[in-house]
């Protein structure tokens, strides 16, 4: 049994090495520009191992996307010491950015799935659904929220994606600032579904003031 276990460990390590290499390459190049030879050469493995472990390049890409999503979702989950919705949401968003800071290649790969086939599409849809369910749970929302709330939460997740891409590219905002910006956007979106409205004149004045005044990149926005 010992040789079998050792062989299993070697297989697992080699497979993970291929996945890590693929994630790095797919993050920096278009899917079409990454060849099986590129992955094998960078990982230092035999060409046939891609087919053996993943069935080919498409299977390798799908598994890379699956791993990246699973890691991100697991890292974002609420911690035991986060007791209320505010703590859970702030923790969720902050950990989202922490993960991207630590694994930029993985997040970039997640955002490069527009060309993907049905298998990858299903992986992405499933992962986004799980992330949405986690967000609803943290907020205390019903499993099947009203249409306005559902649309607001889905729309905010798109906002979070684009904020993350901007932050990952520029890295000119403090982590606390970008976290609070995203949380405040979520609060505003949810508040609007409840019919809460600001005074239009106050809104316009605020927009004009913000457009003219550079925001400090070191001070987080006040929590609501």
């Amino acid at each position: 049994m010992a040789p079998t276990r050792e062989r299993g460990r070697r297989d697992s390590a080699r497979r993970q090495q291929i996945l890590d290499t693929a994630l790095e390459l797919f993050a920096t190049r278009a899917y079409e520009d990454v060849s099986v030879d590129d992955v094998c050469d960078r990982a230092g493995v035999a060409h046939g191992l891609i087919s053996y472990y993943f069935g080919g390049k498409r299977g390798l890409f799908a598994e890379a996307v699956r791993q990246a999503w699973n890691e991100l979702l697991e890292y974002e989950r609420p911690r035991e010491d986060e007791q209320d919705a505010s703590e859970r949401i702030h923790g969720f968003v902050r950990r989202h950015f922490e993960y991207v800071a630590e694994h930029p290649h993985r997040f970039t790969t997640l955002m490069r799935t527009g060309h993907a086939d049905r298998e990858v599409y299903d992986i992405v849809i499933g992962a986004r659904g799980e992330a949405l369910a986690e967000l609803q749970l943290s907020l205390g929302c019903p499993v099947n929220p009203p249409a306005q709330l559902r649309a607001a939460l889905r729309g905010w997740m798109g906002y979070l994606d684009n904020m993350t891409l901007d932050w990952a590219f520029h890295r000119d905002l403090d982590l606390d600032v970008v976290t609070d910006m995203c949380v405040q956007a979520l609060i505003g979106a949810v508040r609007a579904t409840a019919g809460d409205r600001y005074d239009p004149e106050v809104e316009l004045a605020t927009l004009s003031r913000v457009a003219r005044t550079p925001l400090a990149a070191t001070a987080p926005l006040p929590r609501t």
Side-chain angles (χ1 to χ4, degrees):
M1 291 295 292
T4 301
R5 286 197 298 269
E6 181 60 30
R7 185 165 53 251
R9 284 194 292 268
R10 286 199 305 269
D11 280 349
S12 179
R14 194 158 43 194
R15 185 179 186 277
Q16 189 59 52
Q17 181 183 3
I18 294 171
L19 271 176
D20 290 341
T21 302
L23 280 165
E24 182 178 349
L25 289 174
F26 286 129
T28 55
R29 305 183 201 170
Y31 174 85
E32 295 78 9
D33 295 334
V34 178
S35 68
V36 170
D37 287 339
D38 292 333
V39 177
C40 293
D41 290 345
R42 178 75 66 88
V45 299
H47 189 285
L49 288 179
I50 303 296
S51 295
Y52 176 74
Y53 289 125
F54 307 102
K57 179 180 166 182
R58 279 286 176 185
L60 173 61
F61 182 74
E63 192 59 31
V65 171
R66 189 195 313 277
Q67 175 177 297
W69 270 112
N70 287 343
E71 287 182 358
L72 176 60
L73 291 171
E74 185 60 33
Y75 194 81
E76 289 174 339
R77 294 189 194 282
R79 303 298 190 249
E80 291 183 0
D81 60 340
E82 294 169 352
Q83 300 298 318
D84 58 31
S86 177
E87 290 178 347
R88 290 192 295 270
I89 293 301
H90 274 87
F92 170 89
V93 176
R94 185 180 180 88
R95 284 189 294 276
H96 173 86
F97 285 103
E98 287 176 346
Y99 178 88
V100 173
E102 188 172 348
H103 304 288
H105 293 317
R106 282 163 168 71
F107 184 77
T108 305
T109 301
L110 295 181
M111 296 296 103
R112 289 187 173 217
T113 55
H115 67 281
D117 58 16
R118 184 69 195 186
E119 181 181 3
V120 174
Y121 177 79
D122 288 343
I123 292 170
V124 173
I125 293 300
R128 287 196 176 279
E130 188 174 345
L132 180 62
E134 194 70 64
L135 178 64
Q136 292 174 200
L137 182 63
S138 293
L139 287 170
C141 298
V143 175
N144 297 307
Q148 284 183 299
L149 180 57
R150 182 205 65 233
L153 295 179
R154 288 186 178 276
W156 177 81
M157 291 182 70
Y159 169 89
L160 179 64
D161 284 344
N162 284 283
M163 282 288 289
T164 308
L165 287 170
D166 179 88
W167 181 79
F169 180 79
H170 294 287
R171 292 296 183 93
D172 54 359
L173 289 174
D174 181 82
L175 184 60
D176 287 336
V177 171
V178 74
T179 295
D180 280 335
M181 287 176 66
C182 290
V183 172
Q184 292 295 324
L186 176 61
I187 292 171
V190 172
R191 177 184 287 156
T193 68
D196 291 352
R197 293 291 184 272
Y198 295 106
D199 184 296
E201 292 185 5
V202 174
E203 287 183 350
L204 289 173
T206 300
L207 290 172
S208 297
R209 175 177 56 81
V210 171
R212 292 194 305 266
T213 307
L215 294 176
T218 55
L221 298 172
R223 295 185 181 184
T224 301

